[in-house]
Amino acid sequence: GEDVEQSLFLSVREGDSSVINCTYTDSSSTYLYWYKQEPGAGLQLLTYIFSNMDMKQDQRLTVLLNKKDKHLSLRIADTQTGDSAIYFCAEGGRLTGGGNKLTFGTGTQLKVEL
Amino acid sequence: DARVTQTPRHKVTEMGQEVTMRCQPILGHNTVFWYRQTMMQGLELLAYFRNRAPLDDSGMPKDRFSAEMPDATLATLKIQPSEPRDSAVYFCASGLVLSGGAFTGELFFGEGSRLTVL
C-alpha cells in the first residue's frame, strides 16, 4: 500500500531557509502535495507538483521532486515566524479513474526561532 | 467565503457514551473525507464518500464507528460506544472529483472536532 514518510521536527532561525523532506512509495500518483497545518486549524493546501515535473517555484516556496528516488522536498526561503506550523507531504490525486484519496505523511513540525 | 464547517469544535465525554460529529462540506463538492489525527498515528483516513456513497471505510473500526451522508450538505461520524483511545481530533475534508474521475487532490479541511473520552 501507499506509505509516506517525513521527519518529525525541524528547527530553523528566522531568515534562514527551511528544507522539509518526504519519501513516498506509490509511483503512480499523478500529483504530490504539501499541506500546512497551523495550530488549532485544519490542513490547508500549500502547493502541489505534477508528477512529470521535477521542480516548481512559487514565491518563497520551491518544491523538488526526484521521481527515481521517490523523494519530495519543500524549501521555504527566508523563513518567518509565521511559517511555524506542521507541514504534511501527501501523495495521490488522479487525472482519471479511481483512487481519489490522498495518503498523508506523519507531518513535520517546523519551529522558527528568532 | 466557502469553507467546511464541523461541529462540535470540542467534545468531552465519558467512556461508553455515544458521540456524533457533523460536517457540512463546501457546496458543490462531491467527495467527503473523514480523517483522525493523533500524536502517535498522525493523520489517518477513516472513510470517504463520493456523491454520498461510501467508497472506502476500511480505516474505521466497524464495531463502534459509523459514517453516513444523509444528504449532500451533511456528513456524520458516529462513535458508539466511545472509548478513551478514540480521543483525537477528527477532521472532515471535501473536494471535487470531476466527471471521468479526474481529481487534483485539493482538499478543503474543516477546523476539526477535538474529542476527549474520559
Side-chain angles (χ1 to χ4, degrees):
Chain A
E2 307 94 348
D3 193 20
V4 180
E5 294 190 356
Q6 302 176 238
S7 53
L8 291 179
F9 299 102
L10 177 65
S11 180
V12 299
R13 288 192 183 278
E14 189 178 38
D16 288 351
S17 291
S18 310
V19 179
I20 303 171
N21 295 300
C22 167
T23 57
Y24 60 96
T25 56
D26 187 354
S27 58
S28 66
S29 296
T30 304
Y31 295 94
L32 294 126
Y33 311 86
W34 285 104
Y35 276 78
K36 178 182 180 183
Q37 183 182 29
E38 295 184 352
L43 281 70
Q44 200 166 16
L45 181 66
L46 196 58
T47 187
Y48 65 92
I49 187 167
F50 193 49
S51 60
N52 71 353
M53 297 169 65
D54 51 21
M55 186 179 92
K56 179 180 179 181
Q57 188 143 6
D58 183 3
Q59 299 182 333
R60 293 190 297 121
L61 305 178
T62 303
V63 179
L64 295 178
L65 174 60
N66 182 328
K67 235 185 146 176
K68 174 175 166 289
D69 294 339
K70 297 180 187 169
H71 182 266
L72 184 73
S73 68
L74 174 69
R75 179 177 181 268
I76 306 173
D78 187 25
T79 312
Q80 302 297 306
T81 53
D83 296 323
S84 293
I86 302 176
Y87 291 81
F88 290 88
C89 170
E91 62 86 19
R94 299 290 186 273
L95 285 181
T96 59
N100 302 125
K101 63 183 181 181
L102 298 189
T103 299
F104 286 88
T106 50
T108 299
Q109 171 92 55
L110 174 65
K111 183 179 177 185
V112 182
E113 298 175 326
L114 297 172
Chain B
D1 183 25
R3 56 180 179 162
V4 175
T5 304
Q6 288 187 246
T7 57
R9 290 295 315 279
H10 301 274
K11 174 76 175 178
V12 180
T13 192
E14 292 188 344
M15 183 172 64
Q17 296 298 304
E18 178 178 301
V19 175
T20 299
M21 289 168 275
R22 293 177 174 80
C23 167
Q24 181 175 5
I26 290 174
L27 190 65
H29 281 185
N30 57 7
T31 309
V32 174
F33 299 78
W34 282 105
Y35 285 91
R36 174 170 66 182
Q37 185 178 32
T38 60
M39 288 292 291
M40 295 299 293
Q41 300 294 330
L43 204 60
E44 300 173 276
L45 177 65
L46 297 176
Y48 75 105
F49 296 77
R50 193 196 304 178
N51 297 322
R52 295 176 54 202
L55 287 191
D56 185 352
D57 61 1
S58 59
M60 213 163 62
K62 302 286 192 309
D63 56 337
R64 298 183 301 108
F65 284 60
S66 60
E68 294 179 346
M69 278 202 76
D71 62 59
T73 64
L74 177 64
T76 62
L77 179 66
K78 190 177 292 187
I79 308 174
Q80 168 62 22
S82 58
E83 297 181 1
R85 59 183 166 147
D86 301 329
S87 298
V89 181
Y90 291 81
F91 287 103
C92 174
S94 71
L96 181 63
V97 174
L98 302 176
S99 58
F103 176 51
T104 61
E106 182 169 13
L107 295 183
F108 293 81
F109 280 76
E111 293 186 308
S113 293
R114 181 176 292 277
L115 174 65
T116 303
V117 183
L118 304 174

